[in-house]
Amino acid sequence: PERVLEIDYVFKIVVVGDSAVGKTQVLGRFAKDEFYFDSKSTIGVEFQTRTVTINRKSIKAQIWDTAGQERYRAVTSAYYRGALGAMLVYDITKRQSFDHVARWLEELRAHADNSIVIMLLGNKADLTSKRAVSKEDATEFAEEQGLFFSETSALSGENVESAFLMLLEEIHGVV
Ligand code: GDP
Ligand code: MG
């Protein structure tokens, strides 16, 4: 007989950040269970899931992607509704994408729950020769804003798994 996996919790996670920073690639690296895309949806959202075990509990991460709505203030409040965690992604080679992190934080704070756990991700960490944002600047900013922080590469996979697990563990801890 087919084994049915019991799910203890479903955690909604949203991924935000400027266009082309690698949000979809980062998400694709981590979530390989299912792919959901509602092409008829007026809000045009999509999500992918992956189930992990934390403290013997089976946790399904339902991770939402912006699907090309990254223009400032174009992401609707429905996208943020019920989110327990957020990955706020910038590109370490694009200074502007880091400068816009403050705007994305405003959006999260305006539309998401106060208790949302936010992790800042400096993606494309494999492109070190084109680096435009230092790890020190990002670490300092994250500390000031009370965010978790990691540099990732969706290309090599570096730190992607650990960043999502850290976020999920933190949410699990505070649930
Ligand atoms: P999104 O618009 O934020 O969803 O960005 P995408 O995931 O579509 O990625 C935008 C572009 O950046 C694509 O050409 C990706 O192949 C590339 N990309 C994404 N992540 C990485 C990474 O970690 N390293 C490198 N070198 N390229 C990446
Ligand atoms: Mg995308």
Side-chain angles (χ1 to χ4, degrees):
E2 201 174 303
R3 195 171 157 269
V4 177
L5 180 64
E6 299 275 351
I7 303 291
D8 294 301
Y9 303 107
V10 177
F11 289 171
K12 176 177 173 180
I13 309 292
V14 291
V15 183
V16 294
D18 280 8
S19 185
V21 296
K23 297 182 298 299
T24 301
Q25 293 294 322
V26 166
L27 165 48
R29 263 275 167 198
F30 180 70
K32 295 180 188 93
D33 281 6
E34 286 174 46
F35 182 77
Y36 170 94
F37 174 64
D38 180 0
S39 60
K40 281 175 283 194
S41 164
T42 49
I43 52 172
V45 296
E46 35 187 293
F47 64 79
Q48 297 186 55
T49 68
R50 175 153 158 211
T51 302
V52 296
T53 305
I54 297 172
N55 290 341
R56 280 174 277 129
K57 296 289 185 193
S58 156
I59 293 169
K60 184 181 230 180
Q62 183 188 78
I63 311 159
W64 293 48
D65 195 2
T66 50
Q69 301 173 304
E70 297 94 333
R71 260 181 319 107
Y72 187 45
R73 298 217 160 123
V75 178
T76 62
S77 55
Y79 183 73
Y80 299 103
R81 194 167 303 135
L84 298 178
M87 285 299 194
L88 203 179
V89 190
Y90 68 92
D91 174 346
I92 70 151
T93 73
K94 294 264 159 20
R95 183 77 206 182
Q96 185 175 254
S97 71
F98 180 69
D99 295 336
H100 287 169
V101 165
R103 291 180 175 186
W104 287 107
L105 274 179
E106 266 178 47
E107 288 282 284
L108 281 165
R109 289 182 175 141
H111 301 292
D113 209 82
N114 282 334
S115 59
I116 192 168
V117 180
I118 306 170
M119 181 166 231
L120 181 65
L121 289 189
N123 189 46
K124 307 198 187 181
D126 55 285
L127 300 175
T128 41
S129 63
K130 293 189 188 163
R131 179 186 284 277
V133 182
S134 74
K135 225 176 192 168
E136 292 69 30
D137 281 2
T139 303
E140 193 184 317
F141 179 83
E143 277 171 9
E144 279 169 14
Q145 299 290 328
L147 316 173
F148 293 89
F149 169 65
S150 182
E151 283 195 349
T152 55
S153 168
L155 189 73
S156 73
E158 182 195 353
N159 292 339
V160 173
E161 179 93 3
S162 61
F164 274 98
L165 290 178
M166 198 189 296
L167 185 72
L168 293 169
E169 280 167 11
E170 188 60 27
I171 293 167
H172 185 48
V174 301
V175 152

